[in-house]
Amino acid sequence: MSSRTLAGWGTAACAVLLLPLAACTTGHSGAGPSRAVPERSSGSATPGEVTVTATAAPERPVFRAPELDDGETLAGRRQPTSGNASFELGKGRRGDALVVHVRCEGRGSMYVVVRSVGVSFPVDCLAGQISSYENQLALTGADRGGTVSVSAPPAVRWSVTVGRGAPAPKGTDGGG
């Protein structure tokens, strides 16, 4: 939290600084020049001074690459970036599924292509929030190494983590 004491500005200081009116107090009488005085611990203003208190903005969540779920092993990862990029996937065990975890923020759509299994899918990203998606690909060839390519506009920040694990049982989310 930061705190400043301003003299002789009255309520106009709040409007100029875009602070809510409740954050300012004033007792300026308008009689003669004012002087700045140190802020008192009580936070009250005396005639001739304006106390402006600005609170820090709430912390935004840190944008990181998605984590793997329990039971998954890392096949490949691209740390947060924007625009178009590709990364390599390592080989896996026969019978494992690929699980593609995507995280993005910013308004726009990105397009993810997993070449080793011949799959592509769009991802819609929203302005002002971090969106997370997961796609399980229990397909022939999921154990092969390969490349993941992402096309995204510069306004979209994204990251992808690809894991390998046992396919989800049929009839559950992510299963065939």
Side-chain angles (χ1 to χ4, degrees):
M1 177 187 299
S2 65
S3 187
R4 295 184 183 144
T5 302
L6 303 174
W9 286 46
T11 310
C14 290
V16 171
L17 295 173
L18 301 177
L19 296 172
L21 188 56
C24 297
T25 59
T26 183
H28 183 61
S29 64
S34 309
R35 62 182 178 79
V37 292
E39 184 176 351
R40 296 184 171 86
S41 59
S42 68
S44 62
T46 59
E49 76 181 42
V50 175
T51 302
V52 178
T53 304
T55 57
E59 288 188 38
R60 289 188 65 199
V62 176
F63 190 90
R64 293 188 176 125
E67 296 297 321
L68 295 172
D69 291 337
D70 291 338
E72 294 177 0
T73 58
L74 183 64
R77 175 176 280 148
R78 178 69 185 209
Q79 294 295 340
T81 191
S82 59
N84 302 335
S86 296
F87 62 96
E88 297 298 315
L89 294 180
K91 291 183 178 182
R93 294 185 317 219
R94 187 170 173 90
D96 277 354
L98 280 177
V99 184
V100 182
H101 303 271
V102 178
R103 185 168 290 155
C104 63
E105 76 175 333
R107 185 176 179 187
S109 294
M110 54 188 278
Y111 196 69
V112 180
V113 178
V114 184
R115 298 196 192 288
S116 59
V117 290
V119 170
S120 60
F121 54 92
V123 176
D124 292 325
C125 306
L126 304 172
Q129 76 180 57
I130 297 173
S131 302
S132 294
Y133 302 91
E134 179 180 294
N135 283 313
Q136 185 179 70
L137 308 173
L139 303 168
T140 302
D143 58 331
R144 288 184 243 155
T147 304
V148 174
S149 298
V150 175
S151 299
V156 173
R157 192 167 158 201
W158 60 270
S159 61
V160 175
T161 300
V162 179
R164 284 204 168 81
K170 292 193 183 281
T172 62
D173 287 342

